[in-house]
Amino acid sequence: MTQPVGIKDVARVAGVSVGTVSNVINRPDTVATETRARVLSAIDRLGYVRSESARQLRAGRSRIMGLLVLDMGNPFFVDVARGAERAARDAGLGVMVCNSAESVGEEAEYLSLFAEQRVRGVLLTPADATGRNIESFRRHGIPFVLVDRVSEGTTECSVSVDDVAGGALAVRHLVDAGHRSIAYVSGPPGFNQVRDRRTGALNALTEAGLGPECLRELPTERLDVAAGRDAGARLLGLADRPTAVFCANDLLALGVLQAMYAAGVAVPDDLAIVGYDDIEFAAAAAVPLTSVRQPAVTMGALAAEMLLEETEEDSGRRHEHRRVVLQPELVVRRSSLSAR
């Protein structure tokens, strides 16, 4: 394997010291014109590219922020990444995007990688509901901002959406449409979002004078389309099948929609469906999907801006941690518009 060209190689070819090469790169005005030309010629001939990462580590200031999300297969997190990347680019930084795949172990490995690389800071949607991975990462002294999550026991900055309000929006809409038996396809119960959206759903039932028995929960191991199809199959097997279903995210909802279509169950006439996130595919589904919209791009941008503020050494301002909670919005489409 060919070894990369180093600063010593440039110095040898140019017939100068390593220090002179360093001065040409970093302080060219301090080097004589003839010597500078000789060094630049050597750099051009050898194809030398300086190690930006090494320079940053020596300076103790990286130009990379880490972003660790639950599932890059979910367009919601792609939009979060777009917002973060845009804010980072405006500040002259890059973003290292990693995917925990909802795995606590993979999350721990990526956080260790971020620590090894000494990134400027990390934007994190935790997979570990216990907070142990966060506690371990905190020892490295690298700032982080929680995205789409407020984790108990942390004081760091966070950007999230009021998921209790979002769950209430979804189920209130279904109740107003006349539904009295609703399924909640909830995803892994350890996720705060799953629990908060369920709380909001129950609040909406209480407001309408209905009891918690009107909400039947169907948990899933993951938050993807395949898990939604599985939940849809279980839903079809119920003797007293609910007339509506609220899903913890749009991928689950699209999976349920696929299962209903395959079984010949009409949506929304036989089963109304509401999702969460309002990803691009929601409006493009065979039956356009009603969904609770989260401002994903805004979340990513705000989180990156908060991290930049915390890590900006020359701002002259004392950083104060804060939690930003955005409000969701119900987007009504055909999947929930049956008349009952």
Side-chain angles (χ1 to χ4, degrees):
M1 181 181 295
T2 304
Q3 293 295 318
V5 175
I7 193 170
K8 291 182 180 179
D9 299 309
V10 175
R12 175 177 50 80
V13 170
V16 298
S17 68
V18 170
T20 298
V21 176
S22 177
N23 285 338
V24 169
I25 294 171
N26 298 298
R27 296 176 295 278
D29 293 342
T30 66
V31 182
T33 302
E34 182 181 342
T35 302
R36 186 167 69 243
R38 195 162 70 248
V39 170
L40 291 174
S41 175
I43 287 174
D44 184 60
R45 285 164 50 199
L46 294 173
Y48 168 74
V49 178
R50 68 173 177 174
S51 173
E52 182 67 12
S53 61
R55 185 187 69 82
Q56 291 166 7
L57 286 175
R58 286 193 297 271
R61 190 158 175 78
S62 173
R63 291 180 56 236
I64 298 295
M65 68 170 63
L67 170 62
L68 182 55
V69 300
L70 288 176
D71 180 12
M72 281 305 293
N74 186 339
F76 167 76
F77 288 111
V78 175
D79 285 343
V80 169
R82 284 200 299 121
E85 189 275 336
R86 184 181 305 162
R89 185 178 65 243
D90 289 345
L93 273 68
V95 179
M96 180 191 300
V97 181
C98 297
N99 175 28
S100 72
E102 301 179 20
S103 165
V104 174
E106 291 190 34
E107 175 181 88
E109 291 175 4
Y110 279 124
L111 289 175
S112 293
L113 174 65
F114 289 151
E116 291 171 6
Q117 295 297 316
R118 299 187 191 179
V119 296
R120 173 77 64 94
V122 174
L123 309 179
L124 171 64
T125 304
D128 180 13
T130 70
R132 283 192 289 267
N133 281 345
I134 289 178
E135 193 59 39
S136 178
F137 182 70
R138 188 182 282 111
R139 293 198 293 266
H140 296 288
I142 297 175
F144 63 89
V145 175
L146 298 178
V147 184
D148 192 35
R149 184 75 57 86
V150 176
S151 186
E152 290 84 356
T154 66
T155 59
E156 281 77 15
C157 289
S158 66
V159 181
S160 62
V161 166
D162 188 340
D163 284 314
V164 174
L169 282 174
V171 171
R172 190 180 297 122
H173 167 67
L174 293 172
V175 169
D176 289 346
H179 297 282
R180 296 298 180 266
S181 178
I182 302 169
Y184 176 41
V185 178
S186 60
F191 288 167
N192 290 0
Q193 298 99 317
V194 167
R195 296 197 300 269
D196 287 348
R197 291 166 196 178
R198 179 179 183 273
T199 298
L202 292 172
N203 289 348
L205 292 176
T206 300
E207 291 172 7
L210 301 172
E213 69 278 0
C214 293
L215 189 73
R216 180 177 299 189
E217 186 167 0
L218 296 174
T220 63
E221 293 184 358
R222 296 183 61 81
L223 290 161
D224 55 22
V225 174
R229 284 196 298 266
D230 175 71
R234 284 183 281 152
L235 190 64
L236 290 167
L238 297 177
D240 53 344
R241 191 167 71 211
T243 61
V245 58
F246 166 44
C247 298
N249 76 0
D250 284 343
L251 296 184
L252 290 172
L254 292 171
V256 171
L257 179 60
Q258 289 179 6
M260 296 305 111
Y261 181 81
V265 175
V267 176
D269 294 333
D270 296 331
L271 183 76
I273 301 177
V274 175
Y276 205 105
D277 289 340
D278 195 34
I279 62 175
E280 183 178 355
F281 299 138
V287 180
L289 186 66
T290 294
S291 184
V292 178
R293 176 178 292 166
Q294 296 199 86
V297 174
T298 299
M299 290 173 66
L302 281 174
E305 289 166 6
M306 292 164 76
L307 186 62
L308 289 166
E309 178 187 298
E310 183 173 357
T311 59
E312 182 54 61
E313 295 176 345
D314 302 323
S315 67
R317 295 176 296 177
R318 181 178 178 274
H319 176 77
E320 294 184 2
H321 291 312
R322 65 187 188 277
R323 294 181 175 182
V324 175
V325 181
L326 304 174
Q327 292 302 307
E329 173 190 358
L330 182 70
V331 181
V332 178
R333 301 190 181 95
R334 191 156 62 88
S335 69
S336 65
L337 288 180
S338 59
R340 302 199 67 80

